[in-house]
Amino acid sequence: LPGIDDVDAWRALCTGWLTGKNEWRKKPPSPAAFANVDGLLEAVCAVKSLPDARYSEAQWEALDAIRRLLPRAAAELKLVFARHGEADFIEINQAALRALDAGDGPTDLMLALDYRIRHILVDEFQDTSITQRDLLVHLTSGWEAGDGRTLFVVGDPMQSVYRFREAEVGLFLHAQRHGIGSVALESLVLQANFRSQAGIVAWVNRAFAQVLPSNDDVAAGAVSYSPSVAVHPAAAESVTAHPFFNGDAEGQAKLVARLAREALAAPARADGEPSTVAILVRARTHLADILPRLRSEGLTFRAVEIEPLVDRPVVQDLLALTRAISHPADRVSWLAVLRAPWAGLTLQDLEAIAGAHDGASVWERIGDEGVVAAISPDGAQRLERVRTVMGRALAQRARSSLRDAVEGAWLALEGPACLQEAVDLEDADCYLAHLEKFEEAGRLTSLLDFEAGLAKLFSRPGAGVSERLQVMTIHNAKGLEFDTVIVPGLHADTASDERKLFMWMETLEGLLLAPVNPAGSDKDAIYELIRRLDKEKSAHEGGRVLYVAATRARSRLHLIGDCKRDPAGVVKEPARTSLLAKLWPIVATDFNTAPNPVASVAASAVAPTREDELLRLAAPASIAVPPALSWSAPADPGRDRDAIEFSWVGETARHVGSVVHRWLQRIAEDELVGWDRARISGARAAIANELAARGVAVAEIEPAVTRVIGALIATLDDSRGRWLLGPQRAARNEYRLSALVDGERRRLVIDRMFVDAEGRSWIVDYKTSTHQGGDVESFLLAEQSRYRDQLQRYASVAVNGEAMLGLYFPVLGGWREWPAARASEDDPALTE
């Protein structure tokens, strides 16, 4: 009732509802009647705040605009997918649903699958989305009890932590009770814990009975705790809470490093394996002080998707180089290029170059001999190399792809010599591959999109790092286990209160949708309801995230958090949305009784940066610019393959070869079905666009397209080519492998691999080489000798040497084949 705001009056009202009596009107009952009804008051108050059952006219108007906008937005997205030849998981799921049900009944595919599919096994079912659940409903729609078909789903709802991927744990709870579609499920609960020692299991049972909700709730995504039974005996120590106060980040970082070192020094496990340690955080930002501390103490670690690629110094230098080459007037980027280690100009020299406000760009200023004369002799010598290299890069800019321009300038500036860690080469390669992916016709159409995509990439762990100490987010640790687990940053509040344009929520009953309220008006009740439900689901998931972190530990679990504490020693409770708040009933005593901040130290002042500590190469003995190809970074798989074939020909020929490879892959994946001369000739525009995107000059596009089409048609007309691309057993195209070759990690790409009708394995490489002259046979023999070791390496890695090797030359119609040498146990190439 709108006029009742008094809590006691609501308690009385609800008592009347529960007892079926209306005597509360005369004499309100005592609030004690609700003492044992957990959550009832909150539920009734939530009912009171429910919005009207119907949309208002203003809401309908906004929703109608959204209804008309969304189909067009979805259509535009499909065009983007088609243009790039890519799709996301949601699009794949929806395409699967459309393939099974056209809206007027099951499709032919659905009927065929209904006949063929006998058993379905779904793992990690607790992280299923509604779309995926609908897919299961369609696949099992014709099943009947006793027909011999089985549906087996496995999952742990207490480990459902992927709401950001549309996972709905309520689907698991609903399936337990009601089955999936027409299939009834028998529930089996597993309780034996084979991972953790009994001390950790007992603590988890005690703690998470309080952390997780007391009852399941499908709509709210609430999962109650299911206790475990330990298989392994208890150890002397199990779980320790480490309290810190008033933002002591340095003390926490020191403690993490100490705990990690002590755990790594512990004796080997009973099975003889060395102990392992994991540092798990809810968000990567919680490691800002910890990672530098680990490095400063000499602790090597494997960071799994932790360090953003854009934060790596080598990538920052390459990004500055990219922006400077793309836009000569980009002042900040040009200053970054001059400050980078390959030049290392001092601040005084940079001031002399860029301090004047005459409207000239930095590039124009360094070309002014008067400006160059005003800087130090050392700076002038360093500047001359940069000026020469960048001048060449800008002059040749329109004649190559942006990736090649940036990579060539970086090599000529001796960028690789500035690197400090082996992983920096892999980071540089990752950046250049990302640049190549985003450039179109030799330029970046949107620098913002490029940098947004770059922000989603992470530095690779690198070869040779310790596997015993790993740093990762809690989500990435799911499914793993470690002897010691350290969880810092429990106090961090990661909640976001962003108000979206409109809110929606999928449920088993349908879709809840509400637009944001107009500016200056009252809050939209439907919008606020969905927003509140979303927050409630996120709060429940937070408890499950904490559960995942705690249950990764075999022997020891360390929990680290920080609270505010006043001079009188009174501790303030942690932020409501933090993981520490969920643990507070269990660890509050540890914080309230801590006499002093554990391991707390005063923050030391940061020493000012001195110019003599500037990281830079030694001054060059001369201004001679090294050849741009005197060094090559580890390239992407396609470029590794092309390196031999096109090292002696022009850039356009290299791109032609790459495009031919891609189209041969597409034809082979279709097993020649639907491919003929007419279709190849009709693809001229698509091939031209692909060549342009790779940076082929406009004047060279037409002859390059003609060469690509010629090679493809020649393959279709050749009986050998049709045999290679046609139906084969166990066929793979552009098959990628990672292997150790001569002690170094290499990435290999096999163009075509299959098993023929006689049971022989084949490994074939396509070569788009041409030959001028009459002695084609001698040329093919020379090519066979040239690529023999490369194909032998493929065979050693992929099939232990038991294969036939082949080189196919589509332009020439040439073919060479020979048996591979069987790999020995001492072969240096080992498949990863």
Side-chain angles (χ1 to χ4, degrees):
L1 301 178
I4 302 179
D5 293 316
D6 181 74
V7 173
D8 288 338
W10 269 98
R11 286 194 175 109
L13 174 63
C14 294
T15 300
W17 288 344
L18 290 174
T19 60
K21 301 177 181 178
N22 292 328
E23 296 179 0
W24 58 272
R25 297 178 183 272
K26 304 175 183 177
K27 183 179 180 182
S30 168
F34 290 86
N36 297 321
V37 186
D38 186 37
L40 178 60
L41 177 60
E42 291 80 0
V44 173
C45 290
V47 170
K48 181 191 173 186
S49 64
L50 285 175
D52 292 337
R54 294 176 178 83
Y55 291 120
S56 66
E57 289 299 323
Q59 289 172 326
W60 272 122
E61 184 178 353
L63 288 172
D64 185 59
I66 294 172
R67 179 189 62 80
R68 288 183 283 111
L69 171 65
L70 289 183
R72 289 170 170 78
E76 290 291 337
L77 180 60
K78 291 180 185 296
L79 293 176
V80 173
F81 286 153
R83 185 162 61 249
H84 292 275
E86 298 178 352
D88 61 11
F89 286 113
I90 295 176
E91 174 65 17
I92 293 172
N93 284 334
Q94 291 179 341
L97 286 175
R98 291 193 298 270
L100 298 179
D101 188 347
D104 54 356
T107 63
D108 292 341
L109 175 62
M110 177 67 252
L111 296 176
L113 290 177
D114 181 63
Y115 172 75
R116 296 173 58 186
I117 294 178
R118 308 294 301 171
H119 308 283
I120 298 177
L121 169 63
V122 183
D123 196 10
E124 303 289 348
F125 186 71
Q126 77 277 356
D127 290 321
T128 303
S129 69
I130 289 181
T131 304
Q132 292 166 337
R133 182 257 188 190
D134 290 345
L135 184 63
L136 279 176
V137 171
H138 279 78
L139 289 174
T140 59
S141 60
W143 291 19
E144 297 179 358
D147 63 3
R149 292 183 283 193
T150 58
L151 173 62
F152 189 77
V153 298
V154 183
D156 180 358
M158 294 185 296
Q159 295 191 53
S160 179
V161 294
Y162 286 105
R163 284 195 67 242
F164 64 92
R165 294 181 184 171
E166 308 301 327
E168 287 291 341
V169 70
L171 297 175
F172 187 100
L173 303 176
H174 185 272
Q176 268 188 314
R177 302 170 187 174
H178 308 290
I180 298 176
S182 61
V183 180
L185 298 176
E186 178 184 353
S187 180
L188 176 64
V189 179
L190 305 180
Q191 292 183 307
N193 186 313
F194 292 90
R195 171 182 297 152
S196 305
Q197 52 109 332
I200 290 181
V201 173
W203 183 90
V204 169
N205 284 340
R206 183 176 67 257
F208 284 91
Q210 303 176 64
V211 171
L212 298 182
S214 56
N215 298 295
D216 294 340
D217 187 331
V218 173
V223 178
S224 60
Y225 182 69
S226 177
S228 299
V229 177
V231 172
H232 302 297
E237 296 179 298
S238 55
V239 182
T240 306
H242 302 271
F244 284 82
F245 300 97
N246 301 328
D248 186 8
E250 184 178 355
Q252 294 174 57
K254 283 187 174 183
L255 176 64
V256 170
R258 178 172 65 80
L259 293 174
R261 175 176 284 103
E262 292 173 353
L264 293 172
R269 302 201 306 257
D271 58 6
E273 292 294 324
S275 60
T276 57
V277 184
I279 301 171
L280 308 181
V281 292
R282 191 178 187 183
R284 298 175 182 90
T285 53
H286 303 166
L287 293 164
D289 297 283
I290 293 173
L291 295 185
R293 188 72 197 186
L294 296 177
R295 290 193 178 97
S296 68
E297 296 195 14
L299 290 170
T300 60
F301 57 88
R302 180 180 180 86
V304 181
E305 293 188 2
I306 287 296
E307 296 184 277
L309 190 68
V310 73
D311 290 346
R312 300 289 295 176
V314 59
V315 173
Q316 292 179 347
D317 290 341
L318 282 168
L319 179 58
L321 199 58
T322 302
R323 297 178 66 127
I325 292 175
S326 300
H327 200 318
D330 189 331
R331 181 182 180 86
V332 173
S333 296
W334 274 93
L335 291 175
V337 168
L338 297 180
R339 183 69 168 174
W342 52 66
L345 268 63
T346 64
L347 295 178
Q348 290 82 356
D349 286 341
L350 291 179
E351 171 66 20
I353 293 172
H357 300 283
D358 55 3
S361 66
V362 174
W363 171 240
E364 293 170 330
R365 294 279 294 172
I366 64 177
D368 186 334
E369 294 302 329
V371 172
V372 175
I375 67 176
S376 67
D378 175 75
Q381 190 176 14
R382 293 174 179 276
L383 179 62
E384 184 60 27
R385 169 175 295 221
V386 176
R387 188 167 63 173
T388 304
V389 171
M390 296 301 286
R392 177 186 296 176
L394 293 175
Q396 300 292 324
R397 177 65 196 88
R399 302 182 182 181
S400 68
S401 67
L402 181 57
R403 176 203 166 120
D404 290 337
V406 172
E407 186 175 13
W410 185 59
L411 298 175
L413 290 168
E414 297 189 68
C418 305
L419 306 182
Q420 296 180 295
E421 301 179 55
V423 70
D424 289 340
L425 287 177
E426 297 187 36
D427 290 339
D429 172 47
C430 187
Y431 173 85
L432 293 170
H434 179 72
L435 177 61
E436 185 175 35
K437 177 182 177 181
F438 266 81
E439 67 172 296
E440 296 182 11
R443 65 188 183 90
L444 291 174
T445 55
S446 173
L447 185 61
L448 289 177
D449 289 345
F450 168 73
E451 293 189 1
L454 184 63
K456 299 177 182 178
L457 301 178
F458 296 94
S459 175
R460 298 171 182 174
V465 298
S466 173
E467 297 285 342
R468 295 183 59 200
L469 175 59
Q470 300 195 36
V471 183
M472 64 186 73
T473 62
I474 296 172
H475 283 83
N476 281 337
K478 190 168 175 287
L480 303 179
E481 57 185 47
F482 306 89
D483 294 294
T484 299
V485 170
I486 305 169
V487 189
L490 290 173
H491 56 282
D493 183 1
T494 59
S496 174
D497 201 33
E498 177 185 3
R499 299 188 68 85
K500 301 176 182 178
L501 178 62
F502 55 91
M503 292 286 292
W504 75 91
M505 180 173 291
E506 282 188 287
T507 70
L508 288 170
E509 291 74 26
L511 178 69
L512 295 176
L513 177 65
V516 68
N517 55 292
S521 65
D522 294 334
K523 292 183 177 180
D524 184 281
I526 301 178
Y527 183 97
E528 295 303 320
L529 169 65
I530 300 176
R531 191 159 174 259
R532 185 171 64 251
L533 290 174
D534 185 70
K535 286 185 176 181
E536 184 178 1
K537 286 187 175 184
S538 295
H540 288 314
E541 187 179 65
R544 299 194 294 270
V545 169
L546 184 60
Y547 174 80
V548 169
T551 53
R552 299 310 94 197
R554 292 193 191 102
S555 302
R556 292 286 280 124
L557 174 62
H558 296 278
L559 304 169
I560 304 173
D562 191 291
C563 286
K564 294 185 180 298
R565 186 165 73 168
D566 63 23
V570 177
V571 177
K572 182 179 179 181
E573 293 188 4
R576 184 172 54 86
T577 57
S578 68
L579 296 184
L580 185 58
K582 298 186 178 300
L583 267 180
W584 196 244
I586 299 93
V587 302
T589 301
D590 296 289
F591 279 78
N592 290 321
T593 59
N596 293 297
V598 177
S600 178
V601 296
S604 58
V606 178
T609 302
R610 303 199 311 268
E611 288 297 320
D612 58 4
E613 295 177 347
L614 178 63
L615 177 63
R616 58 181 181 171
L617 297 179
S622 67
I623 62 170
V625 178
L629 297 180
S630 61
W631 176 92
S632 60
D636 64 79
R639 294 178 68 89
D640 274 344
R641 178 193 60 207
D642 297 340
I644 297 178
E645 184 171 354
F646 300 109
S647 60
W648 50 276
V649 296
E651 190 71 14
T652 298
R654 182 172 74 82
H655 294 315
V656 165
S658 298
V659 173
V660 169
H661 275 79
R662 284 176 58 85
W663 282 79
L664 289 177
Q665 175 189 357
R666 182 177 175 184
I667 295 171
E669 289 173 348
D670 291 342
E671 297 182 333
L672 289 175
V673 176
W675 289 94
D676 53 24
R677 279 174 163 263
R679 184 175 179 182
I680 294 294
S681 299
R684 178 173 289 271
I687 294 172
N689 289 337
E690 188 169 349
L691 290 165
R694 291 176 175 270
V696 176
V698 175
E700 300 177 5
I701 289 287
E702 190 59 32
V705 171
T706 300
R707 183 173 172 185
V708 171
I709 291 178
L712 299 177
I713 289 178
T715 303
L716 293 181
D717 290 344
D718 180 29
S719 59
R720 175 72 64 178
R722 297 188 66 83
W723 173 74
L724 285 173
L725 303 182
Q728 299 285 4
R729 286 190 296 139
R732 295 177 182 270
N733 302 291
E734 296 293 307
Y735 184 37
R736 284 163 167 76
L737 296 169
S738 176
L740 287 173
V741 179
D742 297 330
E744 296 183 2
R745 177 64 56 190
R746 295 283 297 277
R747 284 170 294 160
L748 312 176
V749 182
I750 300 175
D751 292 340
R752 177 79 165 158
M753 181 177 171
F754 60 88
V755 177
D756 65 15
E758 299 176 2
R760 295 180 301 176
S761 295
W762 284 87
I763 292 178
V764 179
D765 244 26
Y766 311 133
K767 302 300 176 188
T768 55
S769 310
T770 58
H771 176 66
Q772 304 297 328
D775 194 0
V776 176
E777 187 69 20
S778 296
F779 172 75
L780 295 179
L781 287 173
E783 292 294 276
Q784 179 179 349
S785 176
R786 184 182 185 192
Y787 294 106
R788 181 182 295 274
D789 290 344
Q790 176 179 309
L791 267 69
Q792 179 62 49
R793 185 180 304 120
Y794 293 169
S796 298
V797 172
V799 291
N800 200 31
E802 296 183 350
M804 292 294 295
L805 307 179
L807 287 176
Y808 182 63
F809 300 81
V811 177
L812 302 174
W815 171 255
R816 281 294 175 271
E817 68 177 63
W818 68 97
R822 180 178 173 83
S824 68
E825 294 181 358
D826 298 327
D827 197 298
L830 303 175
T831 303
E832 184 179 63

